[in-house]
Short mmCIF file of all heavy atoms in Angstrom, two decimals:
data_model
loop_
_atom_site.label_atom_id
_atom_site.label_comp_id
_atom_site.label_asym_id
_atom_site.label_seq_id
_atom_site.Cartn_x
_atom_site.Cartn_y
_atom_site.Cartn_z
N LYS U 7 25.03 32.41 -31.58
CA LYS U 7 23.69 32.11 -32.07
C LYS U 7 22.80 31.44 -31.01
O LYS U 7 21.58 31.55 -31.08
CB LYS U 7 23.76 31.19 -33.30
CG LYS U 7 23.92 31.94 -34.61
CD LYS U 7 23.89 31.02 -35.79
CE LYS U 7 22.49 30.79 -36.31
NZ LYS U 7 22.49 29.92 -37.49
N LEU U 8 23.42 30.76 -30.06
CA LEU U 8 22.64 30.03 -29.07
C LEU U 8 22.16 30.91 -27.92
O LEU U 8 21.28 30.53 -27.18
CB LEU U 8 23.45 28.87 -28.48
CG LEU U 8 23.92 27.80 -29.46
CD1 LEU U 8 24.56 26.66 -28.69
CD2 LEU U 8 22.75 27.29 -30.27
N PHE U 9 22.75 32.09 -27.80
CA PHE U 9 22.41 32.94 -26.67
C PHE U 9 22.00 34.32 -27.14
O PHE U 9 22.50 34.82 -28.15
CB PHE U 9 23.62 33.05 -25.73
CG PHE U 9 24.02 31.73 -25.13
CD1 PHE U 9 24.93 30.92 -25.78
CD2 PHE U 9 23.47 31.30 -23.94
CE1 PHE U 9 25.29 29.69 -25.24
CE2 PHE U 9 23.82 30.08 -23.39
CZ PHE U 9 24.73 29.27 -24.04
N ASN U 10 21.12 34.96 -26.41
CA ASN U 10 20.76 36.33 -26.72
C ASN U 10 21.57 37.29 -25.86
O ASN U 10 22.48 36.87 -25.14
CB ASN U 10 19.25 36.54 -26.56
CG ASN U 10 18.80 36.36 -25.12
OD1 ASN U 10 19.62 36.28 -24.20
ND2 ASN U 10 17.50 36.30 -24.93
N GLU U 11 21.24 38.57 -25.92
CA GLU U 11 22.04 39.58 -25.22
C GLU U 11 22.06 39.36 -23.70
O GLU U 11 23.06 39.63 -23.04
CB GLU U 11 21.49 40.98 -25.50
CG GLU U 11 21.13 41.26 -26.96
CD GLU U 11 19.89 40.50 -27.39
OE1 GLU U 11 18.93 40.44 -26.60
OE2 GLU U 11 19.88 39.94 -28.50
N GLU U 12 20.96 38.84 -23.16
CA GLU U 12 20.90 38.62 -21.71
C GLU U 12 21.60 37.33 -21.29
O GLU U 12 21.58 36.97 -20.12
CB GLU U 12 19.44 38.58 -21.24
CG GLU U 12 18.77 39.94 -21.21
CD GLU U 12 17.91 40.15 -22.43
OE1 GLU U 12 17.26 39.18 -22.84
OE2 GLU U 12 17.90 41.25 -23.00
N GLY U 13 22.14 36.62 -22.27
CA GLY U 13 22.84 35.37 -21.93
C GLY U 13 21.91 34.19 -21.75
O GLY U 13 22.28 33.17 -21.20
N ASP U 14 20.67 34.34 -22.22
CA ASP U 14 19.73 33.23 -22.11
C ASP U 14 19.80 32.35 -23.35
O ASP U 14 19.92 32.84 -24.47
CB ASP U 14 18.30 33.76 -21.95
CG ASP U 14 18.13 34.54 -20.66
OD1 ASP U 14 18.86 34.23 -19.69
OD2 ASP U 14 17.29 35.46 -20.63
N LEU U 15 19.69 31.07 -23.10
CA LEU U 15 19.68 30.11 -24.19
C LEU U 15 18.46 30.37 -25.05
O LEU U 15 17.36 30.51 -24.56
CB LEU U 15 19.64 28.69 -23.63
CG LEU U 15 19.93 27.56 -24.61
CD1 LEU U 15 21.35 27.67 -25.13
CD2 LEU U 15 19.70 26.23 -23.94
N VAL U 16 18.65 30.44 -26.34
CA VAL U 16 17.59 30.88 -27.23
C VAL U 16 17.01 29.70 -28.03
O VAL U 16 16.18 29.87 -28.90
CB VAL U 16 18.13 32.04 -28.11
CG1 VAL U 16 18.57 31.56 -29.46
CG2 VAL U 16 17.13 33.17 -28.19
N VAL U 17 17.44 28.51 -27.67
CA VAL U 17 16.97 27.29 -28.31
C VAL U 17 15.84 26.70 -27.48
O VAL U 17 16.02 26.46 -26.29
CB VAL U 17 18.11 26.27 -28.42
CG1 VAL U 17 17.63 24.98 -29.06
CG2 VAL U 17 19.29 26.84 -29.18
N PRO U 18 14.66 26.46 -28.10
CA PRO U 18 13.57 25.85 -27.34
C PRO U 18 14.00 24.52 -26.74
O PRO U 18 14.74 23.76 -27.35
CB PRO U 18 12.49 25.63 -28.41
CG PRO U 18 12.79 26.62 -29.47
CD PRO U 18 14.28 26.78 -29.47
N LYS U 19 13.53 24.25 -25.53
CA LYS U 19 13.92 23.04 -24.83
C LYS U 19 13.53 21.79 -25.62
O LYS U 19 14.25 20.79 -25.62
CB LYS U 19 13.24 23.03 -23.45
CG LYS U 19 14.07 22.37 -22.36
CD LYS U 19 13.34 22.44 -21.02
CE LYS U 19 13.65 21.22 -20.16
NZ LYS U 19 12.51 20.77 -19.35
N ALA U 20 12.39 21.85 -26.28
CA ALA U 20 11.92 20.70 -27.05
C ALA U 20 12.91 20.34 -28.16
O ALA U 20 13.06 19.17 -28.52
CB ALA U 20 10.55 20.98 -27.64
N VAL U 21 13.58 21.35 -28.67
CA VAL U 21 14.56 21.11 -29.74
C VAL U 21 15.72 20.26 -29.23
O VAL U 21 16.17 19.33 -29.90
CB VAL U 21 15.11 22.45 -30.30
CG1 VAL U 21 16.25 22.22 -31.25
CG2 VAL U 21 13.99 23.23 -30.98
N VAL U 22 16.16 20.55 -28.02
CA VAL U 22 17.28 19.80 -27.43
C VAL U 22 16.89 18.33 -27.23
O VAL U 22 17.69 17.43 -27.49
CB VAL U 22 17.72 20.42 -26.10
CG1 VAL U 22 18.93 19.69 -25.54
CG2 VAL U 22 18.04 21.90 -26.27
N GLY U 23 15.66 18.12 -26.82
CA GLY U 23 15.17 16.75 -26.68
C GLY U 23 15.20 16.00 -28.01
O GLY U 23 15.64 14.86 -28.08
N ARG U 24 14.76 16.69 -29.04
CA ARG U 24 14.75 16.03 -30.36
C ARG U 24 16.16 15.79 -30.88
O ARG U 24 16.41 14.82 -31.59
CB ARG U 24 13.94 16.87 -31.36
CG ARG U 24 12.43 16.75 -31.13
CD ARG U 24 11.64 17.31 -32.33
NE ARG U 24 11.85 18.73 -32.51
CZ ARG U 24 11.09 19.68 -31.97
NH1 ARG U 24 10.08 19.36 -31.20
NH2 ARG U 24 11.35 20.94 -32.19
N LEU U 25 17.08 16.66 -30.51
CA LEU U 25 18.46 16.50 -30.95
C LEU U 25 19.00 15.12 -30.56
O LEU U 25 19.65 14.44 -31.36
CB LEU U 25 19.31 17.60 -30.30
CG LEU U 25 20.30 18.37 -31.15
CD1 LEU U 25 19.76 18.74 -32.50
CD2 LEU U 25 20.78 19.60 -30.40
N SER U 26 18.72 14.71 -29.34
CA SER U 26 19.14 13.38 -28.89
C SER U 26 18.48 12.28 -29.72
O SER U 26 19.09 11.26 -30.01
CB SER U 26 18.78 13.17 -27.41
OG SER U 26 19.75 13.76 -26.58
N LEU U 27 17.24 12.52 -30.10
CA LEU U 27 16.54 11.52 -30.92
C LEU U 27 17.13 11.45 -32.33
O LEU U 27 17.30 10.38 -32.89
CB LEU U 27 15.05 11.83 -30.96
CG LEU U 27 14.32 11.61 -29.63
CD1 LEU U 27 12.92 12.23 -29.67
CD2 LEU U 27 14.21 10.13 -29.31
N TYR U 28 17.44 12.64 -32.89
CA TYR U 28 18.09 12.64 -34.20
C TYR U 28 19.38 11.84 -34.12
O TYR U 28 19.67 10.99 -34.97
CB TYR U 28 18.43 14.07 -34.66
CG TYR U 28 17.23 14.97 -34.89
CD1 TYR U 28 17.22 16.29 -34.43
CD2 TYR U 28 16.11 14.51 -35.58
CE1 TYR U 28 16.14 17.12 -34.65
CE2 TYR U 28 15.02 15.35 -35.79
CZ TYR U 28 15.04 16.65 -35.32
OH TYR U 28 13.97 17.47 -35.51
#
Side-chain angles (χ1 to χ4, degrees):
Chain U
K7 273 184 89 178
L8 299 187
F9 297 89
N10 65 11
E11 316 71 42
E12 286 100 39
D14 296 331
L15 193 63
V16 97
V17 179
K19 214 178 147 215
V21 172
V22 183
R24 285 194 296 269
L25 225 42
S26 278
L27 291 167
Y28 296 136

